[in-house]
Amino acid sequence: MEKAGKLSPSALEVWHGYVKRQGTVPFFGTMQKEEYVYHVDENDKVLGKVSRKEMRKKVLLHRGSDIFVFNTKGEILVHKRTKTKDLFPGFYAVVVGGSASYGETYDECAKREVYEEIGIKDAQLEFLFKHKYIGPHNKFMGHIYKMTHDGPFKYQKEEVAWAEFMSL
């Protein structure tokens, strides 16, 4: 783990952005306050601010970003989600990403998720398209991106159980 005096400006920006959006500081892996997300309609119009817990419980349509990660050989990063995830625990995924925190743009969300899940700072992301997913356990209005990076990666142990590049 990096010491506070050694953090890069991008890491500090991620930290300050998170604190500003959530209105609290993480304390030993737990939050002192609830995490909030955007509740949106089918046209991505903001309906309000809801807790992540309420969004999951009521399966509300919310904003987020997903990122396909390729290496320079054209292989895609596939990972297995940890069994402790609140959505699709233990499933395999071909994207990194997640819900946008309230006050965060799609681009900010994508960069934060890449940094949190695979440890890449200042990721060069290419926007691909906007996508709406409506399923029985999740409703997601997302911006979809791709990036190319050969690693090494620093996987977030709370989210990624296993990962490997695979050919398409």
Side-chain angles (χ1 to χ4, degrees), residues 7-167:
L7 289 176
S8 69
S10 60
L12 289 174
E13 291 169 5
V14 168
W15 171 259
H16 288 292
Y18 184 84
V19 171
K20 182 179 176 184
R21 285 187 306 279
Q22 297 303 325
T24 188
V25 175
F27 181 72
F28 297 108
T30 61
M31 295 299 297
Q32 295 173 352
K33 289 186 181 179
E34 186 77 44
E35 180 182 356
Y36 290 93
V37 299
Y38 289 98
H39 178 208
V40 297
D41 69 11
E42 301 272 334
N43 297 308
D44 199 23
K45 180 182 175 213
V46 177
L47 299 175
K49 173 181 175 180
V50 297
S51 71
R52 181 182 180 91
K53 183 177 178 180
E54 179 182 2
M55 176 267 292
R56 288 284 183 237
K57 183 178 179 181
K58 295 181 179 178
V59 191
L60 299 174
L61 185 59
H62 64 285
R63 288 182 177 171
S65 296
D66 283 334
I67 305 93
F68 291 100
V69 181
F70 294 92
N71 63 17
T72 53
K73 293 190 270 184
E75 298 170 322
I76 190 166
L77 185 67
V78 177
H79 73 275
K80 185 174 183 179
R81 296 166 61 87
T82 59
K83 292 183 179 181
T84 56
K85 291 294 296 168
D86 63 349
L87 187 67
F88 309 124
F91 282 47
Y92 288 91
V94 295
V95 294
V96 298
S99 301
S101 296
Y102 193 81
E104 184 176 53
T105 67
Y106 284 108
D107 289 349
E108 290 168 339
C109 173
K111 286 185 179 268
R112 176 181 52 80
E113 289 290 343
V114 167
Y115 179 66
E116 287 177 359
E117 289 188 34
I118 62 174
I120 301 301
K121 300 174 187 174
D122 302 320
Q124 299 301 307
L125 304 176
E126 178 185 337
F127 173 76
L128 298 175
F129 55 90
K130 192 168 188 170
H131 173 69
K132 178 173 57 179
Y133 170 80
I134 305 294
H137 306 291
N138 190 33
K139 295 180 182 175
F140 181 80
M141 181 70 72
H143 277 201
I144 312 302
Y145 302 82
K146 77 173 184 176
M147 65 176 276
T148 302
H149 202 288
D150 287 323
F153 300 113
K154 183 179 178 186
Y155 299 107
Q156 184 179 26
K157 65 181 181 179
E158 295 83 11
E159 299 213 15
V160 180
W162 168 91
E164 186 174 308
F165 279 108
M166 296 183 168
S167 59

